[in-house]
Amino acid sequence: MRYVSFGDEPAVKPDDFFMNEALKEAKLALAEDEIPIGAVVVCKGQIIGRGHNLTERLNDVSAHAEMQALTAAANFMGGKYLKECTLYVTMEPCVMCAGASYWFQVGRIVFGAYDPRMGFGRLNQKITHPKTIIEGGIRENECAELVRSFFKSKR
Amino acid sequence: MRYVSFGDEPAVKPDDFFMNEALKEAKLALAEDEIPIGAVVVCKGQIIGRGHNLTERLNDVSAHAEMQALTAAANFMGGKYLKECTLYVTMEPCVMCAGASYWFQVGRIVFGAYDPRMGFGRLNQKITHPKTIIEGGIRENECAELVRSFFKSKR
């Protein structure tokens, strides 16, 4: 994992750095008037898949950021599984996306904002792959604020 | 819902008829050396989406029959939701596909064979949409036998 340093400033932790990349994707979604959720898949310090929510553009309620990023990453790898990869996503994945991560055998999932209503964590059973490590709350406020202000603007 | 009758024989129940269509899809998968699972989506007696497992061909572990059929159906409808539709699938959907059916707000899911290991029914919480009606075990033996003999041939 590479650390990214900007001159005299303290080095940015990889998780923060890659979550920022996921946030960039979320902002692309926002620019397209989509619910601003973004994701990247990282393997050995390299981004191998990116995606943002495209449910409106594709008129497909299943076109979540994670699904785009995971299939792009698997495509890049030319293989089936993403065992050595980390999925960074600005919002806690839903049951569908967590279920997809099972099939891809994603090594680690790092998410930003918690989603108590639709997030997979509300289930009292583990539905991700047994080997998948989960971490939530990375850059939580920024990730949550993007979605919050989007819905506020729609009211 | 239309009933389909063949001459003097008793009318075929719609669920049997459409599950047979899903079985046809499963056999297409088998012909391509894919795990033989098939699905159709039906709205007002008309098939508006078909799909079969394409995980090998697409090199995408998430390319399940249900995902193909649901996105095809939503595409056909030009709308987001499949509230008045029935998803027929030869195997109990996995967590990912059941999670997708939530977003599509599928009216009814009819599946063939139960899948105690990967089926969504193993969860002790409902993950499909609150309004989704679920029925399992339609043409169960045929649906299960297809998959069983596929895996047997691989050993």
Side-chain angles (χ1 to χ4, degrees), chain B residues 21-111:
Chain B
E21 294 298 310
L23 274 162
K24 284 183 192 169
E25 284 293 322
K27 284 165 193 166
L28 288 177
L30 186 68
E32 299 173 50
D33 208 31
E34 300 272 1
I35 299 173
I37 300 174
V40 296
V41 174
V42 175
C43 186
K44 298 186 171 87
Q46 196 195 340
I47 294 175
I48 60 165
R50 312 184 71 105
H52 56 265
N53 185 38
L54 288 173
T55 51
E56 293 299 323
R57 200 211 298 174
L58 300 183
N59 205 22
D60 176 356
V61 290
S62 69
H64 290 192
E66 300 93 315
M67 301 300 274
Q68 319 288 331
L70 289 171
T71 50
N75 209 29
F76 176 87
M77 296 287 271
K80 287 184 177 178
Y81 305 119
L82 302 171
K83 293 181 190 187
E84 295 182 26
C85 301
T86 300
L87 167 68
Y88 291 88
V89 54
T90 57
M91 200 83 175
E92 182 183 346
C94 73
V95 170
M96 173 185 72
C97 293
S101 82
Y102 178 99
W103 293 112
F104 286 107
Q105 300 190 20
V106 174
R108 187 165 165 254
I109 297 175
V110 177
F111 66 84

Side-chain angles (χ1 to χ4, degrees), chain A residues 39-116:
Chain A
V40 295
V41 174
V42 175
C43 186
K44 298 187 170 86
Q46 196 195 338
I47 294 173
I48 61 165
R50 311 185 72 104
H52 56 264
N53 186 35
L54 288 173
T55 50
E56 292 300 323
R57 200 212 297 174
L58 300 183
N59 204 24
D60 176 356
V61 290
S62 70
H64 290 193
E66 300 94 315
M67 300 301 274
Q68 320 288 331
L70 289 172
T71 49
N75 210 28
F76 176 88
M77 296 287 271
K80 287 184 177 178
Y81 305 119
L82 301 170
K83 294 182 189 186
E84 294 182 27
C85 300
T86 300
L87 166 69
Y88 291 88
V89 55
T90 57
M91 200 84 175
E92 182 182 347
C94 73
V95 169
M96 173 186 71
C97 293
S101 83
Y102 178 99
W103 294 111
F104 286 107
Q105 300 190 21
V106 174
R108 189 164 164 255
I109 297 175
V110 177
F111 67 85
Y114 288 86
D115 184 355

